[in-house]
Amino acid sequence: MQATAPYELPYRMVAPLAAADGMEPLLLEYVLGVLGSTGDRAALPAVERFLRHPHPGVRREAADAVKELHWRLRPAREGTA
């Protein structure tokens, strides 16, 4: 089952995940997805620092999270497809 409405986690709830440097790449990819779903500008520095991670999956997930955060932060995202 997939959610049909976007959901934003409060960043304060997942902020401890932002210090996830020592995690294995697969777990780090999940953490970056969670941080990207916050819709909070405070998550950007935590996510952007992984854009140059040595693991390609982590870099890809970081790039997706940055895009997601920028999309969610757009002031006029209502009514866009």
Side-chain angles (χ1 to χ4, degrees):
M1 176 183 239
Q2 291 183 340
T4 56
Y7 179 76
E8 292 181 356
L9 291 167
Y11 180 68
R12 71 182 184 286
M13 289 181 64
V14 296
L17 295 175
D21 293 341
M23 285 190 183
E24 293 191 25
L26 181 60
L27 293 175
L28 189 51
E29 290 175 32
Y30 286 114
V31 166
L32 289 166
V34 168
L35 293 172
S37 72
T38 64
D40 191 326
R41 186 175 311 278
L44 273 171
V47 170
E48 288 174 333
R49 73 173 198 251
F50 292 102
L51 291 171
R52 294 192 174 150
H53 192 275
H55 191 276
V58 172
R59 290 193 307 268
R60 185 174 40 253
E61 192 61 44
D64 288 346
V66 167
K67 277 195 282 189
E68 180 72 12
L69 284 165
H70 282 291
W71 180 84
R72 288 176 181 266
L73 293 170
R74 280 193 335 218
R77 71 172 192 240
E78 302 296 324
T80 60

